[in-house]
Amino acid sequence: MIEKYVLDLQEIDESQVAVVGGKGAHLGGLSRIEGIRVPDGFCVTTDAFRRIMAEAPSIDDRLDQLSRVNPDDREAIRTLSAQIRRTIEGIAIPDDLAAAITRALDRLGEDAACAVRSSATAEDLPTASFAGQQDTYLNVVGPMAVLQHVSRCWASLFTERAVTYRQRNGIDHRTVHMAVVVQQMVFPHASGILFTADPVTGNRKDATVDAGFGLGEALVSGLVNPDVFTVRRGEVVGKAIAAKQRAVHALPAGGTQEVAIDAQRQEQPALTDAQVVRLVQLGRRIEAHFGRPQDIEWCLVEDGFQIVQSRPITTLFPFPETGDQENHVYVSVGHGQMMTDPMRPLGLSMWQLTAMVPMHEAGGRLFVDVTRRLASPASRAGLLDVMGRNDPLIRDALETVLDRDDFVPSLPDARPDGPPAGGAPAPIETDPAVVTELIERSRVSIAALERDIRTKTGPALFDFLLEAFEEHKRVLGDPLNLQAIMAGMEATWWLNDKLQEWLGEKNAADTLTLSAPDNVTSEMGLALLDVADVIRPLSEVVAFLQGVEDVEYAEGTAFLDELAKRAGGAEARDAIEAYLDRYGMRCVGEIDITRPRWRERPTTLVPVILDNVRNFEPGAAERRFEQGRQKALKKEQDVLSRLRALPDGDRKADEAKRMIDRVRTFIGYREYPKYGIVSRYFVYKQALMEEAERLVQAGVLREKEDIFSLTFQELHDVARSHQVDDRLIQQRKDAFRSYHALTPPRVLTSDGEALTGAYRRDDVPAGALTGLPVSAGTIEGRARVILDMAQADLEAGDILVTTFTDPSWSPLFVGAAGLVTEVGGLMTHGAVIAREYGLPAVVGVEQATRLIRDGQRIRVHGTDGYVEILP
């Protein structure tokens, strides 16, 4: 293959990222759009960069060292990257390469001033912008200066910030190459940035324009505040004109300098409204060409705009594809399920196939379309009531959308899809036998699934699973199941509302539900205390477990076999095995079938077991449960006694007693349907992994886990055809990685607007973090910010601070004194278990894991719903 070192922009399009880097490919694409002016120029290709790198073999050794450096070791990165840069800048550009660049410069004009700009192959991509990671040089004059700055651009691939960015994003330094864009310099009256979607709200209908005088470096460097314009439907709907005291201008001999702006011009708009609208029209044309919202750098030269860069806006949360032009409002599933991490395609499709309502995917997360329910006044009230009780932030976000007159049409007679939101099923008697019967129904159904799936393989397995999903939904949709869940929740709401009205007491149900029977999730946490009781006296076993985190076990059986070799190890293994037989299907993020279960990775439990060994005395599980039961009983007697002293007290006490009995009968069952779902999921997963192993043996798949990057239907097709698209699997893996950088909103609209909601409260002290009170009491202690359960390390009195907690976190609750989460609602699992264990808890605290530092002392106000950070 003949290497080509220089390409004119007109020869380039978006498909040539590997040759000219992200910036060069986008500029080539821009130059082909009718009506879009791009300064003339050329690209020095990645072939030239590779040739230069080959001139210095010592760089290979330093790249090897870099790959082994921890991303947080800034000193090592600074030293190694500086050495690589110096080496690259010291390499003489070969004569033929220098001649190719000089010939291209001649076409721009012998003494043309140029912009020399880095263009890396991992830059301006849909999943990672790398904005500002490499260098740009403006107003470079003369061939020798251009060649020198081309070398500097090559070296800028290894600036400390660029190296750190790649390390943190898991990008191999050797896979990224540097091209260089050389363009004719433009000397603008004004310049700035156009976002074709609002980068803050995500609204795709709004474009925002930042504008200042002179070169755009003044805005990029933060030298001046820009004028900011908002454009919607071809009209300027908002603007803020800044006092622009300085600008950056080009010098005649090369380079740039800051200059002061005349006082009378400082508060003049850099653009007229008509120019802003015209610029946005150009931006929409560019957006249409690239197929996604763009971050565009522009210059106003005389009376026309020139575009000097366009890249995708990578921070926008995508929205579901609908295929229609109607407005839609979506509510996050993850915030209700306490799992806001992205899911892989198999996990998404399996949840969709087993869910009771249609769900839509965006950004690796699931959403429910509530537009029809919001359109009808009757269902709207019910939906807002349920959402508001569980998560006030979702309700506030929905009300924000409803406040916009025309976004959700009013359809008084519209019949919402599915059961009416907030409409309670018919009540049932307060009878513990109802719960016993429901648990037995689920057990029998799961046993039949385990028995019948054993003989199924290939396409027959997938046909069987589709039938199993219908049984899955039948069990979930059992009217008695829904009645039992609602009975516990409604009794909780009744007690909290009435006891506050009658006695002035907030959240009284929190204490009344302590140690409620039949709560499989709280039992799971206490059962791990019993495992710790077995292990505590076994010193060799404890020592082995303390070293487990330094050893990688291929699978759970290897860890348990190794454990059994220690003195007392067989006894410890049997205790853990018994625990896994009952709870091994659980894990963090368990609604995603692709997540490793405890049975598959039992070492996840080791830190919690060790915490329990250290922090508790033998018999703690039974004592904890009985203490909670006695506390609830004492609270019941106190409440009833105080009620009887009120006017009409006997009636109030009788009503309260009926509701206390009802909540204690049914609130524990609230956790059981999820346990049943996850139990079924593990059966499905085991069968699918065995099928994946057969496909690997047949040479169809490279590794078993590749099935996670396919939807259920796609995997069904692979099992039938024995053919798979490896490129699709790689694309899905890349997309999944990129989704981790996105923060899912509680509410999302079809305009792309992401809404998180706000607490409308004035009863929170200044500086405190506001949240939702879900478990009463006040506790002060050391904050332990834990993002991964496998990294848990709690001491007595510590307060657990994390993003979200699903049922798998409940063993940690046993050792915690309080709980703070970023995601959660009144009836989500973390709230239910916090109340069950009597932990003061505040959930829905935005950015709690960023605003609270690990080790800080905090005070959690679980009754009033806020957290104070103490000095």
Side-chain angles (χ1 to χ4, degrees):
M1 186 183 77
I2 298 174
E3 292 171 332
K4 190 153 188 181
Y5 296 130
V6 173
L7 291 172
D8 280 343
L9 285 182
Q10 287 75 20
E11 299 178 76
I12 297 166
D13 62 29
E14 304 92 295
S15 69
Q16 293 167 274
V17 171
V19 179
V20 295
K23 187 177 289 142
H26 275 78
L27 283 167
L30 282 166
S31 68
R32 293 162 178 260
I33 305 173
E34 187 178 349
I36 302 298
R37 292 166 59 196
V38 176
D40 287 343
F42 59 89
C43 280
V44 181
T45 67
T46 53
D47 283 341
F49 173 77
R50 276 189 286 269
R51 181 167 170 191
I52 292 296
M53 293 289 278
E55 298 281 328
S58 63
I59 290 176
D60 269 349
D61 295 335
R62 294 204 175 102
L63 288 177
D64 286 338
Q65 292 175 55
L66 258 186
S67 67
R68 294 191 293 271
V69 169
N70 186 309
D72 295 323
D73 189 346
R74 296 184 62 181
E75 187 56 43
I77 289 174
R78 183 179 300 121
T79 301
L80 283 166
S81 58
Q83 290 171 353
I84 294 171
R85 287 198 307 278
R86 280 197 300 272
T87 302
I88 293 172
E89 288 188 39
I91 297 169
I93 298 177
D95 291 346
D96 59 332
L97 175 51
I101 295 171
T102 305
R103 281 196 301 273
L105 276 172
D106 288 343
R107 291 195 293 274
L108 296 181
E110 189 175 343
D111 295 316
C114 296
V116 183
R117 312 168 72 196
S118 306
S119 179
T121 53
E123 181 179 23
D124 294 353
L125 305 180
T127 56
S129 75
F130 284 73
Q133 298 307 313
Q134 282 90 39
D135 290 344
T136 286
Y137 302 96
L138 299 179
N139 202 31
V140 180
V141 180
M144 291 304 294
V146 169
L147 289 171
Q148 180 186 23
H149 286 86
V150 167
S151 286
R152 288 182 180 173
C153 283
W154 287 330
S156 77
L157 189 63
F158 297 98
T159 60
E160 182 186 345
R161 64 182 182 271
V163 167
T164 303
Y165 188 98
R166 289 196 295 273
Q167 302 257 102
R168 292 191 186 284
N169 284 276
I171 296 169
D172 184 347
H173 301 297
R174 295 176 190 277
T175 64
V176 184
H177 300 116
M178 180 66 82
V180 181
V181 176
V182 180
Q183 285 178 283
Q184 196 157 30
M185 187 71 190
V186 292
F187 304 99
H189 162 74
S191 57
I193 301 166
L194 158 65
F195 295 98
T196 64
D198 189 313
V200 177
T201 68
N203 195 323
R204 300 336 192 247
K205 297 282 177 67
D206 289 352
T208 65
V209 175
D210 290 4
F213 293 121
L215 292 166
E217 294 304 291
L219 303 187
V220 173
S221 64
L223 180 64
V224 297
N225 291 324
D227 298 339
V228 181
F229 302 85
T230 301
V231 176
R232 185 181 305 140
R233 298 190 185 93
E235 183 181 343
V236 175
V237 294
K239 59 182 166 181
I241 307 304
K244 300 169 288 297
Q245 296 176 339
R246 304 189 72 73
V248 173
H249 284 182
L251 291 167
T256 61
Q257 70 171 12
E258 293 176 22
V259 297
I261 295 176
D262 294 342
Q264 65 268 29
R265 287 186 65 218
Q266 288 179 6
E267 297 198 23
Q268 286 181 5
L271 297 177
T272 66
D273 283 7
Q275 288 171 327
V276 169
V277 169
R278 170 67 183 142
L279 176 60
V280 170
Q281 288 171 346
L282 295 174
R284 293 292 181 214
R285 195 175 296 177
I286 294 168
E287 178 183 68
H289 176 83
F290 288 118
R292 64 181 66 237
Q294 297 288 301
D295 163 356
I296 298 166
E297 294 181 23
W298 55 268
C299 294
L300 178 63
V301 185
E302 297 172 349
D303 62 344
F305 288 101
Q306 297 209 30
I307 306 300
V308 296
Q309 188 161 333
S310 186
R311 62 167 72 95
I313 308 175
T314 59
T315 55
L316 298 176
F317 199 89
F319 52 91
E321 298 287 337
T322 59
D324 62 39
Q325 298 301 310
E326 302 296 318
N327 289 345
H328 295 269
V329 183
Y330 303 96
V331 170
S332 165
V333 172
H335 285 80
Q337 291 294 333
M338 302 300 286
M339 162 56 181
T340 54
D341 289 347
M343 295 166 68
R344 293 175 174 86
L346 185 62
L348 290 164
S349 62
M350 293 284 279
W351 193 259
Q352 287 171 308
L353 286 165
T354 53
M356 301 301 289
V357 295
M359 292 185 176
H360 307 269
E361 185 273 332
R365 279 80 167 187
L366 291 170
F367 295 85
V368 173
D369 188 341
V370 296
T371 319
R372 294 290 301 277
R373 290 182 177 181
L374 290 174
S376 165
S379 60
R380 179 191 309 151
L383 178 70
L384 292 176
D385 182 53
V386 170
M387 293 293 178
R389 283 184 179 276
N390 198 44
D391 187 336
L393 292 176
I394 291 181
R395 176 173 184 146
D396 184 77
L398 290 173
E399 287 177 333
T400 300
V401 177
L402 288 168
D403 285 344
R404 293 172 191 153
D405 297 337
D406 57 349
F407 194 82
V408 178
S410 185
L411 305 170
D413 300 322
R415 179 179 176 78
D417 300 325
I428 51 175
E429 292 299 314
T430 303
D431 182 0
V434 171
V435 173
T436 305
E437 179 186 345
L438 283 166
I439 291 173
E440 179 61 14
R441 284 186 194 179
S442 178
R443 188 196 66 77
V444 168
S445 177
I446 292 168
L449 171 67
E450 290 174 328
R451 181 189 68 238
D452 296 342
I453 204 170
R454 287 183 191 136
T455 58
K456 305 296 189 292
T457 62
L461 169 64
F462 292 87
D463 293 338
F464 172 82
L465 283 171
L466 288 171
E467 293 176 15
F469 298 162
E470 294 308 309
E471 167 67 3
H472 181 125
K473 290 192 280 191
R474 188 196 65 74
V475 171
L476 276 182
D478 181 341
L480 193 63
N481 178 53
L482 299 175
Q483 287 170 316
I485 293 170
M486 289 306 300
M489 291 168 65
E490 288 176 339
T492 302
W493 298 336
W494 188 96
L495 285 166
N496 282 336
D497 290 347
K498 289 297 185 183
L499 295 182
Q500 180 157 12
E501 178 189 336
W502 292 339
L503 299 176
E505 187 167 338
K506 288 183 180 178
N507 304 328
D510 294 358
T511 307
L512 293 167
T513 54
L514 289 171
S515 298
D518 299 311
N519 189 320
V520 69
T521 307
S522 64
E523 289 166 5
M524 177 172 69
L526 296 175
L528 207 58
L529 287 174
D530 293 334
V531 173
D533 285 354
V534 173
I535 289 172
R536 191 176 290 106
L538 306 173
S539 57
E540 274 198 43
V541 168
V542 172
F544 169 73
L545 294 179
Q546 287 169 338
V548 158
E549 64 185 33
D550 299 325
V551 181
E552 186 70 35
Y553 290 94
E555 52 187 38
T557 52
F559 158 68
L560 294 170
D561 290 345
E562 198 64 32
L563 170 66
K565 296 175 185 176
R566 272 58 186 179
E571 187 183 355
R573 180 193 60 193
D574 291 347
I576 293 173
E577 283 276 15
Y579 185 85
L580 292 173
D581 285 345
R582 178 124 170 86
Y583 305 111
M585 77 293 289
R586 310 220 80 149
C587 68
V588 173
E590 60 195 10
I591 70 169
D592 182 353
I593 199 171
T594 72
R595 292 286 191 106
R597 311 284 133 176
W598 289 344
R599 168 56 79 182
E600 297 168 311
R601 196 177 290 172
T603 50
T604 306
L605 295 170
V606 168
V608 192
I609 292 172
L610 289 173
D611 283 351
N612 289 348
V613 165
R614 185 173 63 247
N615 295 333
F616 293 93
E617 297 295 323
E622 190 174 346
R623 279 197 307 277
R624 285 285 296 265
F625 187 82
E626 184 57 24
Q627 286 166 0
R629 199 179 69 80
Q630 291 296 333
K631 195 172 178 182
L633 183 60
K634 184 179 177 184
K635 182 69 173 180
E636 176 183 333
Q637 293 166 344
D638 172 63
V639 163
L640 296 179
S641 169
R642 288 159 61 200
L643 285 174
R644 288 194 181 98
L646 298 176
D648 199 17
D650 287 343
R651 177 188 65 80
K652 290 173 180 172
D654 288 346
E655 284 185 23
K657 173 60 176 166
R658 281 197 299 275
M659 284 299 176
I660 291 169
D661 289 346
R662 193 165 179 80
V663 81
R664 290 195 66 80
T665 297
F666 291 114
I667 199 63
Y669 181 72
R670 164 75 180 81
E671 291 293 297
Y672 200 88
K674 184 73 169 284
Y675 176 78
I677 290 171
V678 176
S679 298
R680 289 175 185 279
Y681 262 41
F682 193 40
V683 179
Y684 304 153
K685 182 177 186 180
Q686 288 172 305
L688 289 172
M689 293 308 285
E690 288 172 10
E691 185 65 22
E693 179 60 39
R694 286 188 282 271
L695 290 168
V696 170
Q697 295 298 326
V700 178
L701 295 176
R702 293 178 181 175
E703 55 186 21
K704 288 191 297 184
E705 287 72 18
D706 282 351
I707 69 169
F708 298 162
S709 297
L710 300 171
T711 66
F712 179 83
Q713 188 56 55
E714 288 166 347
L715 183 53
H716 192 174
D717 292 341
V718 170
R720 215 170 10 229
S721 68
H722 271 218
Q723 292 183 317
V724 70
D725 184 346
D726 289 330
R727 285 174 307 172
L728 175 66
I729 288 175
Q730 189 56 52
Q731 287 167 5
R732 295 275 178 76
K733 288 178 179 178
D734 292 343
F736 177 68
R737 269 196 300 274
S738 74
Y739 292 152
H740 281 87
L742 300 174
T743 301
R746 284 175 165 80
V747 171
L748 184 64
T749 74
S750 51
D751 281 354
E753 188 171 8
L755 298 104
T756 56
Y759 293 105
R760 313 291 177 179
R761 293 174 54 183
D762 54 11
D763 60 343
V764 174
L769 309 179
T770 307
L772 179 66
V774 296
S775 185
T778 301
I779 191 71
E780 184 178 314
R782 179 179 67 155
R784 292 313 315 270
V785 180
I786 298 174
L787 303 180
D788 179 354
M789 185 176 158
Q791 305 300 318
D793 182 16
L794 289 175
E795 299 285 351
D798 284 350
I799 296 168
L800 174 60
V801 180
T802 190
T803 47
F804 59 79
T805 61
D806 59 12
S808 72
W809 284 73
S810 63
L812 268 184
F813 287 20
V814 176
L819 174 69
V820 180
T821 69
E822 294 180 351
V823 176
L826 191 61
M827 298 309 294
T828 48
H829 302 277
V832 171
I833 304 306
R835 290 194 290 272
E836 180 80 9
Y837 289 161
L839 303 182
V842 181
V843 302
V845 180
E846 286 287 286
Q847 299 189 44
T849 60
R850 296 182 184 88
L851 298 173
I852 300 171
R853 292 196 310 275
D854 186 54
Q856 276 186 318
R857 290 196 67 77
I858 62 173
R859 187 180 297 129
V860 177
H861 296 263
T863 305
D864 295 313
Y866 62 90
V867 179
E868 291 180 286
I869 299 175
L870 303 176

